[in-house]
Amino acid sequence: MLTAEAKVSLTGIKPTGEPHLGNYIGAIKPALELASGAESIYFIADHHALTSVRDPELLRRWTRSVAATWLAAGLDPERTTFYRQSDVPEIFELHWILSCFSAKGLMNRAHAYKAARDRNREAGSEDLDAGVNMGLFNYPVLMAVDILIMDTDLVPVGKDQLQHVEYAADIAGAFNAVYGDTFSLKLPKAVVPQEDSGRTLPGTDGRKMSKSYDNTIPLFAPTAELRKVVRKIPTDSTPVEEPKDPDTSAVFQILQHFATPEDTASVRSRLEAGGMGWGDLKNTLLVTLDDRLAPMRERYDALMAPGSELDELLAVGASKARARAKPVLEQVRKAIGIG
Ligand code: TRP
């Protein structure tokens, strides 16, 4: 949780797909709520996505789509700083500089790189670095730069990104050890949301909703598509009249996150009493999602339209971000004797 002394929080979002309901409940909504007390910075880590997204049209579309989603979900571009990583060239200069202060051994231990080597080992490959490019290897350095160049106090991240935030503090320390306190001493701290429980949605196959399982429900699909996807969610064969356990139903679990507490309670008791069938429950979910998401979807569609204000908003964000990044880079350049 944010504390009173906390000032600036930074959230990085990698554009690797169309936003789905799981992203909204698990990441977008909590991030917007968590940061509402601090000065918040949000950015789209489009260069980070290059380690896996190799289709220029997709990268462009996902970057816009992620930006439009966060804005539609309530991110206020006036009160916050919201930009695309690629619009802040200072980041890439600092990336080189800090790579000269990032121990290779530290990167050898970074979990994504280690996982890639483990996969090669399991596959019996002789070269454990097969398929590993320097972007994957340097990923944590670029992320450290994202954090340090904005002089952030807090970095809300999932458990999987904790190590990277610690690396940012290490790398800043390595630089400071040579040149004195160039990076501020209030080293960035990760904020990991409390146990994910209650924030994970089941997908259309009942497993956790995730792009890698191909079981997602898109956040802004038109009603007809939403209906098709909701129909796919598995249910058991309990007949309509019989009582049902809402807590073992994926449909009900999704509903809970979008319906009002009163509506959730009423559906729960109808299921428990018997007489409400799964088809009926799916219709309720569909109507609820449609109602709840319609206003956001309208804003999203408007922002996604060519020539919308999206580009303008991101350009304003980029200049705010650059104004913040420049003095940090300036200090660093001065310290090392360049410029
Ligand atoms: N690595 C993060 C992810 O995969 C995205 C990210 C890039 C990030 N730079 C960041 C997150 C800086 C927080 C701070 O989700």
Side-chain angles (χ1 to χ4, degrees):
M1 275 326 224
L2 295 185
T3 56
E5 86 228 41
K7 289 197 298 283
V8 184
S9 91
L10 173 98
T11 302
I13 310 136
K14 196 158 66 157
T16 49
E18 304 288 350
H20 56 72
L21 293 187
N23 297 140
Y24 178 68
I25 295 298
I28 302 175
K29 200 163 154 267
L32 291 173
E33 283 162 7
L34 181 77
S36 62
E39 178 183 349
S40 12
I41 304 178
Y42 301 87
F43 75 98
I44 303 161
D46 48 355
H47 273 278
H48 271 109
L50 192 57
T51 61
S52 58
V53 183
R54 296 295 169 80
D55 174 328
E57 278 320 308
L58 273 187
L59 184 56
R60 196 168 292 125
R61 190 169 92 220
W62 287 342
T63 300
R64 286 180 66 82
S65 150
V66 165
T69 300
W70 281 72
L71 290 164
L75 188 151
D76 178 348
E78 302 218 331
R79 286 186 44 232
T80 59
T81 300
F82 184 49
Y83 58 97
R84 253 186 313 234
Q85 183 185 40
S86 56
D87 285 335
V88 182
E90 288 76 12
I91 291 173
F92 305 98
E93 182 174 344
L94 188 59
H95 174 257
W96 169 259
I97 299 172
L98 285 192
S99 74
C100 298
F101 295 86
S102 303
K104 176 173 176 289
L106 197 64
M107 299 308 133
N108 288 343
R109 294 187 291 278
H111 62 71
Y113 173 60
K114 269 172 56 184
R117 285 174 65 89
D118 288 346
R119 277 194 300 276
N120 281 333
R121 190 175 293 114
E122 275 153 33
S125 169
E126 227 162 82
D127 176 8
L128 295 186
D129 283 335
V132 173
N133 59 62
M134 288 304 293
L136 173 70
F137 191 69
N138 284 336
Y139 189 104
V141 183
L142 184 56
M143 184 159 158
V145 172
D146 292 330
I147 296 169
L148 296 171
I149 205 162
M150 293 297 153
D151 194 18
T152 16
D153 302 279
L154 297 173
V155 189
V157 285
K159 270 201 222 99
D160 63 322
Q161 298 294 318
L162 194 60
Q163 183 193 39
H164 294 153
V165 181
E166 289 163 2
Y167 277 22
D170 278 355
I171 295 170
F175 187 95
N176 284 351
V178 179
Y179 297 106
D181 298 338
T182 308
F183 292 102
S184 88
L185 289 179
K186 50 155 188 72
L187 295 173
K189 273 204 227 24
V191 198
V192 179
Q194 303 241 302
E195 245 336 280
D196 282 344
S197 67
R199 291 236 173 101
T200 23
L201 283 192
T204 52
D205 59 359
R207 291 188 292 174
K208 180 184 166 176
M209 191 181 294
S210 158
K211 193 177 155 264
S212 44
Y213 293 151
D214 198 17
N215 64 357
T216 60
I217 302 178
L219 189 52
F220 297 127
T223 313
E225 191 188 332
L226 207 53
R227 178 175 304 116
K228 257 204 256 156
V229 184
V230 167
R231 288 240 171 91
K232 283 203 307 202
I233 307 174
T235 48
D236 61 26
S237 52
T238 321
V240 174
E241 334 62 77
E242 267 177 46
K244 300 173 187 63
D245 178 3
D247 296 314
T248 58
S249 155
V251 185
F252 183 80
Q253 281 166 45
I254 300 171
L255 179 74
Q256 268 183 324
H257 282 96
F258 293 92
T260 62
E262 297 74 37
D263 289 349
T264 305
S266 120
V267 171
R268 172 182 286 283
S269 53
R270 284 172 62 209
L271 285 168
E272 284 169 347
M276 183 180 201
W278 295 126
D280 196 358
L281 177 64
K282 285 184 174 180
N283 279 334
T284 307
L285 174 62
L286 186 65
V287 170
T288 306
L289 286 178
D290 221 24
D291 265 13
R292 175 74 191 279
L293 299 176
M296 269 196 259
R297 183 164 62 205
E298 212 173 287
R299 174 95 175 110
Y300 173 84
D301 288 340
L303 286 165
M304 286 300 279
S308 78
E309 58 179 331
L310 184 67
D311 296 306
E312 178 58 26
L313 290 175
L314 288 172
V316 171
S319 49
K320 285 201 234 173
R322 293 190 69 185
R324 223 185 143 84
K326 273 182 189 150
V328 176
L329 179 62
E330 240 1 271
Q331 288 261 45
V332 169
R333 289 171 129 241
K334 207 155 92 201
I336 61 178
I338 280 179

